[in-house]
Amino acid sequence: MKDRDVLYKEAIKNLENPSKNNMQIIKTHLFCLKVNNDYVINTKEQINDLVSFINCNHGK
């Protein structure tokens, strides 16, 4: 879980708009969404892709 916390902090730091909603999107993807009991997001590259998506679509 510690690695997931590091990914979360990194993601929040890189959000252009760290609104409550955007932070919740990150939290949901990192800590809740699973496929076949595996988390959907597991790497820094995956979290960076999610942050880029949020910044492009929900950023400002």
Side-chain angles (χ1 to χ4, degrees):
M1 211 41 135
K2 194 174 199 178
D3 292 336
R4 302 195 90 60
D5 291 331
V6 170
L7 287 175
Y8 178 75
K9 289 176 184 174
E10 182 74 21
I12 297 305
K13 184 175 77 173
N14 291 321
L15 283 174
E16 290 176 4
N17 178 12
S19 68
K20 187 175 182 179
N21 186 50
N22 288 345
M23 292 190 306
Q24 186 61 44
I25 292 169
I26 299 288
K27 190 176 283 187
T28 299
H29 280 75
L30 267 175
F31 298 105
C32 300
L33 293 182
K34 293 184 177 183
V35 175
N36 298 326
N37 292 325
D38 291 326
Y39 286 106
V40 174
I41 293 185
N42 295 298
T43 66
K44 186 173 180 176
E45 181 179 270
Q46 290 170 324
I47 199 69
N48 287 341
D49 288 344
L50 178 60
V51 169
S52 292
F53 176 82
I54 292 170
N55 286 340
C56 288
N57 294 287
H58 303 281
K60 297 179 179 174

